[in-house]
């Protein structure tokens, strides 16, 4: 089948998905609005969407504004669709440009599906919220899939059980192949090696880890590595302020900031650490959580991350409030008060990924979705 993905950019979580589909015999193409500075394209090189948009987002880092103001060249897009002849077009968001692409596909009678990271199961919607959602979703595909089964924050805060408000939506997991077999040692030098992966931006909330480290009674036995993208002016400012905070708290000998590591080079970081921390305020669906789990790392994640349910279902770590450094400090302390936990969580993590995020686990629901008639 000829499959065309259209997204704002080629995220690293698409690498394994594209590879899986190609290995199954599908012809996969990818179109994007822009290309990120650290992206790699091992299987498919994405094409830029035809546009009338000017400007470079590499220094501002304001992707949301760029996507919102993206001016699609409709005529050239129509020509591109006719040339590529996709059997199905999978769009990644609900921007105006994407809605116009859906309209073009409707004209050409090409089936469209929305891939997003909204939860499949969520709190029940009131009648008014259902109406507002239906109005907002006008012009986007009715068929949808997501790698987020439910959000732990919804599950913990909702007074009623979670329901599937969107009956045409289905859960399709991320693909995460396991690294080669290796013997993982945990805290072998008596220290806890903590890894934090995320762009140097406010919403990634790296400061909660710094504050937690400052409050942790075992901080002399913890080494932290924070790895993140640092290209835009916003990212450089955040990096500078974070380093200043680390210096002021006298933690520079315990916390190392690393910048601009390509995804292909992350393997060494996962192999040399025991625990991954995800402190983000609002993370749609962190792929770093699953990458870390595939290497046998325990995971401490905030409750509003879209892949936090993998941590709880896999018994691979613990969740904490993104605004509570004390909670995170207690999580770090627990690793010393019962060091067996780190090993147990790590082994559970790897087993969960092996069982629930294999190529087969992705292909079964995806190919079932492709066979659904409009």
């Amino acid at each position: 089948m000829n499959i065309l993905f259209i997204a704002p950019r080629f995220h690293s979580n698409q690498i394994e998905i594209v590879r899986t589909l190609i290995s199954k015999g599908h012809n996969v193409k990818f179109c994007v609005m822009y290309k990120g500075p650290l992206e790699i394209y091992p299987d498919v090189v994405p094409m830029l969407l035809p546009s009338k948009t000017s400007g470079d987002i590499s220094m501002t880092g304001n992707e949301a504004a760029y996507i919102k103001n993206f001016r699609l060249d409709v005529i050239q897009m129509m020509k591109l669709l006719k040339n590529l002849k996709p059997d199905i077009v999978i769009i990644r968001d609900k921007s105006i440009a994407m809605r116009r692409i859906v309209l073009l596909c409707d004209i050409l009678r090409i089936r469209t599906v929305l891939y997003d990271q909204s939860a499949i199961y969520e709190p029940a919607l009131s009648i008014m919220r259902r109406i507002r959602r239906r109005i907002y979703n006008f012009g986007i595909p009715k068929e949808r899939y997501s790698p987020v089964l439910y959000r732990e924050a919804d599950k913990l805060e909702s007074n009623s059980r979670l329901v599937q408000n969107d009956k045409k939506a289905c859960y399709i997991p991320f693909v995460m192949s396991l690294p080669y077999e290796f013997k993982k040692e945990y805290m072998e030098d008596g220290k806890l090696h903590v890894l934090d992966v995320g762009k140097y931006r406010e919403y990634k909330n790296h400061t909660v880890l710094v504050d937690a480290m400052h409050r942790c009674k075992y901080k002399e036995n913890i080494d932290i590595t924070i790895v993140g993208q640092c290209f835009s002016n916003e990212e450089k400012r955040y990096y500078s302020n974070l380093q200043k905070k680390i210096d002021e708290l006298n933690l520079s000998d315990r916390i190392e900031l690393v910048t601009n590591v390509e995804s292909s080079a992350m393997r060494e970081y996962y192999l040399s650490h025991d625990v991954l921390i995800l402190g983000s305020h609002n993370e749609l669906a962190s792929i770093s959580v699953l990458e870390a789990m595939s290497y046998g790392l325990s995971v401490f994640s905030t409750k509003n991350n879209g892949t936090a349910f993998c941590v709880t279902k896999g018994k691979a770590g613990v969740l904490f409030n993104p605004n509570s450094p004390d909670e995170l400090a207690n999580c770090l302390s627990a690793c010393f008060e019962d060091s067996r936990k780190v090993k147990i969580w790590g082994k559970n993590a790897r087993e969960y990924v092996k069982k629930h995020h294999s190529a087969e686990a992705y292909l079964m629901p995806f190919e079932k979705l492709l066979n659904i008639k409009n």
Side-chain angles (χ1 to χ4, degrees):
M1 178 172 281
N2 294 325
I3 302 171
L4 174 61
F5 287 93
I6 302 180
R9 71 177 182 92
F10 187 85
H11 196 283
S12 59
N13 60 35
Q14 294 294 309
I15 293 174
E16 295 276 4
I17 290 172
V18 168
R19 182 171 297 155
T20 297
L21 292 173
I22 290 175
S23 68
K24 189 66 175 178
H26 297 291
N27 179 32
V28 179
K29 301 292 183 184
F30 219 105
C31 288
V32 295
M33 293 180 177
Y34 67 94
K35 295 184 178 182
L38 293 175
E39 293 174 1
I40 59 172
Y41 316 117
D43 302 290
V44 171
V45 178
M47 300 171 281
L48 288 172
L49 288 169
S51 76
K52 298 178 181 178
T53 304
S54 59
D56 180 12
I57 67 168
S58 62
M59 292 308 294
T60 65
N62 195 343
E63 291 95 343
Y66 186 85
I67 293 167
K68 180 179 178 181
N69 299 317
F70 187 86
R71 296 171 59 209
L72 182 74
D73 188 326
V74 176
I75 295 175
Q76 292 302 316
M77 188 69 219
M78 176 70 89
K79 291 180 179 178
L80 181 61
L81 288 170
K82 288 180 178 179
N83 180 51
L84 294 177
K85 296 182 176 63
D87 297 307
I88 186 168
V89 172
I90 299 173
I91 66 167
R92 174 62 183 86
D93 72 10
K94 302 178 182 180
S95 64
I96 293 174
M98 293 295 178
R99 293 170 193 259
R100 288 175 177 168
I101 291 172
V102 171
L103 179 59
L104 294 177
C105 289
D106 288 345
I107 293 171
L108 296 173
R109 298 191 176 186
I110 300 171
R111 181 182 171 196
T112 55
V113 173
L114 172 67
Y115 154 62
D116 69 4
Q117 293 176 353
S118 301
I120 300 299
Y121 293 93
E122 57 185 343
L125 296 177
S126 65
I127 294 175
M128 286 305 300
R129 288 188 65 191
R130 283 177 180 272
I131 293 172
R132 284 198 294 268
R133 179 178 286 189
R134 187 168 295 180
I135 293 172
Y136 177 72
N137 287 342
F138 180 78
I140 66 168
K142 290 184 174 61
E143 291 180 284
R144 176 178 77 89
Y145 71 91
S146 169
V148 179
L149 189 59
Y150 61 87
R151 292 191 175 276
E152 285 290 347
D154 290 339
K155 185 179 178 183
L156 294 169
E157 296 169 12
S158 176
N159 292 324
S160 59
R161 65 186 181 88
L162 302 182
V163 300
Q164 186 175 356
N165 292 301
D166 182 358
K167 301 302 181 184
K168 288 197 173 183
C170 65
Y171 168 70
I172 301 180
F174 283 127
V175 183
M176 185 57 58
S177 61
L178 289 179
Y180 61 88
E181 290 296 327
F182 59 91
K183 185 177 181 181
K184 178 83 175 172
E185 299 292 341
Y186 298 90
M187 300 175 66
E188 56 182 335
D189 56 358
K191 291 185 177 182
L192 182 69
H193 300 276
V194 175
L195 181 64
D196 179 356
V197 180
K199 296 175 182 177
Y200 287 102
R201 297 190 184 178
E202 199 69 38
Y203 82 96
K204 289 294 186 180
N205 196 28
H206 298 297
T207 54
V208 72
L209 176 56
V210 176
D211 287 333
M213 176 66 160
H214 179 61
R215 301 176 191 200
C216 183
K217 60 184 176 181
Y218 297 99
K219 61 185 175 185
E220 295 302 319
N221 293 312
I222 301 175
D223 286 331
I224 295 175
T225 306
I226 301 177
V227 180
Q229 175 181 301
C230 189
F231 285 103
S232 70
N233 294 330
E234 174 198 351
E235 290 163 348
K236 290 175 181 178
R237 281 193 298 270
Y238 186 89
Y239 173 91
S240 178
N241 291 335
L242 186 63
Q243 185 63 66
K244 182 180 179 181
K245 183 182 182 73
I246 291 169
D247 294 339
E248 289 173 349
L249 295 175
N250 296 316
L251 294 173
S252 55
D253 61 332
R254 303 258 68 94
I255 303 177
E256 179 186 10
L257 302 185
V258 180
T259 63
N260 304 329
V261 177
E262 291 186 358
S263 57
S264 58
M266 283 301 302
R267 173 178 169 275
E268 296 305 319
Y269 288 94
Y270 288 126
L271 285 173
S272 59
H273 288 77
D274 305 306
V275 176
L276 177 84
I277 305 291
L278 184 87
S280 303
H281 285 294
N282 287 299
E283 189 79 31
L284 289 176
S286 168
I287 194 67
S288 298
V289 164
L290 293 175
E291 287 175 342
M293 289 172 66
S294 75
Y295 281 92
L297 273 71
S298 305
V299 175
F300 300 164
S301 170
T302 51
K303 299 170 184 176
N304 47 4
N305 159 40
T307 50
F309 75 92
C310 299
V311 179
T312 53
K313 287 174 73 69
K315 299 179 181 177
V318 292
L319 306 183
F320 64 95
N321 188 314
N323 298 315
S324 178
D326 287 328
E327 278 189 35
L328 181 53
N330 290 336
C331 294
L332 295 172
S333 296
C335 297
F336 292 93
E337 290 158 3
D338 185 355
S339 59
R340 294 172 301 174
K341 288 182 177 180
V342 179
K343 184 176 182 179
I344 293 170
W345 286 332
K347 288 191 172 183
N348 289 346
R350 190 169 165 88
E351 284 303 311
Y352 181 85
V353 170
K354 181 179 181 179
K355 182 176 180 180
H356 297 282
H357 292 274
S358 64
E360 293 75 19
Y362 172 85
L363 281 169
M364 187 178 297
F366 185 82
E367 294 189 331
K368 181 180 179 181
L369 174 67
L370 296 189
N371 292 330
I372 296 175
K373 303 296 183 181
N374 284 326

